[in-house]
Amino acid sequence: MKWKKIGDILVVDDKFGDKSLEELKSIANKEKVESIIEIDNIYGVKREPHYKFLLGSKSETINKENGCYFKLDLTKVMWSKGNVNERIRIANLVEDDETIIDMFAGIGYFSIPIAKFSNAKEIYSIEINPNSFYYLNENIKLNKINNITPLLGDCSQLTPNYNADRILMGYVKTTHHYLKTAVDSLNSGGIIHYHETVPEKLMETRPISRIRQAAKDREVELLNIQKIKKYSPGVMHVVVDARIN
């Protein structure tokens, strides 16, 4: 990553740490941003950023993506610009009157586009981070959405309270630990969108194998394996679309 512009804030990696104040001001002026923030990593299940201001002090902004508005504070919640195409792809797959569970909803990365561009019946958006949950609610209001039910808490505990036609698992690293919970809440014939970071040589086998293991005796149909982005050398972030009967 060189940098990414989110609203009127520029997010950069640690390679910018050696730039002079004059250079940073020049970049900010060119990109028309108020702050430059260095984010070197995202930590824990709450996906909290480790950050440092390089220029300015503004951290809250509104980012427009795919016709949706996302309010967020970049020192408190994450934003993955690399998932932009995936967020609208999922919204376009949702069929009329579906019930959706978004297990790792964040600030509404997937839930908001689904609500805005599909005819989903109901979207249960679960988020464990109180800061992300606050912005999820802000974004529901900002986009004038009326079919999202925001739920604060651990998706492993909340998901079993609902049943859905489609379940989103837009999280990586330990997502497979939540697969059985997701499968158990998926209606017969429903679709799961399971994200995983996987060695490229195992990309075609490990994610779907994990889904089949969680589904036990239920029939699993692989619909698609979508590459999201390179996560690290030799490791790919992918999403698997699977129908489970």
Side-chain angles (χ1 to χ4, degrees):
M1 178 189 77
K2 187 176 182 182
W3 65 58
K4 53 187 176 183
K5 185 176 177 180
I6 302 171
D8 56 359
I9 297 173
L10 208 63
V11 174
V12 302
D13 56 28
D14 57 10
K15 293 182 178 65
F16 271 67
D18 59 354
K19 292 192 178 297
S20 68
L21 181 59
E22 290 72 22
E23 288 176 304
L24 292 171
K25 286 181 177 178
S26 176
I27 293 169
N29 184 59
K30 181 180 178 181
E31 296 296 321
K32 297 180 173 60
V33 297
E34 293 191 28
S35 295
I36 298 179
I37 302 176
E38 176 187 300
I39 296 180
D40 64 5
N41 213 335
I42 303 294
Y43 293 98
V45 295
K46 293 184 179 180
R47 296 177 283 183
E48 296 171 312
H50 184 267
Y51 67 91
K52 178 171 69 176
F53 281 99
L54 300 183
L55 186 72
S57 59
K58 179 180 179 179
S59 59
E60 186 177 82
T61 189
I62 295 177
N63 191 59
K64 185 178 181 182
E65 178 187 278
N66 293 323
C68 301
Y69 294 94
F70 294 93
K71 186 177 182 181
L72 71 160
D73 186 324
L74 288 159
T75 66
K76 296 178 179 178
V77 304
M78 64 164 283
W79 178 266
S80 179
K81 203 170 180 67
N83 289 354
V84 56
N85 294 327
E86 179 63 13
R87 291 191 272 266
I88 197 64
R89 182 183 81 90
I90 294 298
N92 290 331
L93 290 176
V94 173
E95 298 180 2
D96 292 354
D97 295 320
E98 282 190 353
T99 296
I100 313 289
I101 297 176
D102 187 355
M103 290 179 69
F104 306 92
I107 64 171
Y109 314 103
F110 288 97
S111 294
I112 297 293
I114 290 172
K116 193 157 187 177
F117 297 115
S118 78
N119 292 314
K121 180 180 180 181
E122 185 68 46
I123 304 162
Y124 296 103
S125 302
I126 305 171
E127 176 52 39
I128 195 170
N129 184 332
N131 291 319
S132 296
F133 186 74
Y134 168 79
Y135 285 106
L136 170 61
N137 282 278
E138 288 290 292
N139 292 327
I140 290 170
K141 290 184 285 186
L142 188 61
N143 290 277
K144 300 178 180 178
I145 302 300
N146 58 19
N147 61 343
I148 291 179
T149 300
L151 301 165
L152 176 62
D154 188 334
C155 63
S156 65
Q157 297 175 15
L158 293 176
T159 300
N161 296 328
Y162 306 92
N163 292 101
D165 305 300
R166 189 179 300 268
I167 295 182
L168 313 179
M169 303 185 73
Y171 179 64
V172 293
K173 293 186 178 179
T174 61
T175 325
H176 57 287
H177 295 161
Y178 301 85
L179 264 171
K180 186 178 186 306
T181 299
V183 169
D184 288 348
S185 291
L186 191 67
N187 293 331
S188 180
I191 295 173
I192 194 167
H193 301 283
Y194 166 64
H195 289 243
E196 183 173 316
T197 46
V198 58
E200 291 185 73
K201 62 183 180 180
L202 300 177
M203 194 177 70
E204 304 289 334
T205 56
R206 193 178 78 179
I208 190 63
S209 175
R210 283 177 163 172
I211 294 174
R212 290 195 169 108
Q213 185 177 15
K216 293 185 178 179
D217 297 330
R218 295 176 65 177
E219 179 186 350
V220 177
E221 176 188 359
L222 174 61
L223 302 176
N224 185 47
I225 299 177
Q226 189 83 16
K227 293 181 181 179
I228 303 298
K229 60 187 175 184
K230 186 172 285 292
Y231 184 78
S232 62
V235 178
M236 186 66 66
H237 174 184
V238 302
V239 57
V240 175
D241 306 339
R243 188 186 306 277
I244 301 178
N245 296 312

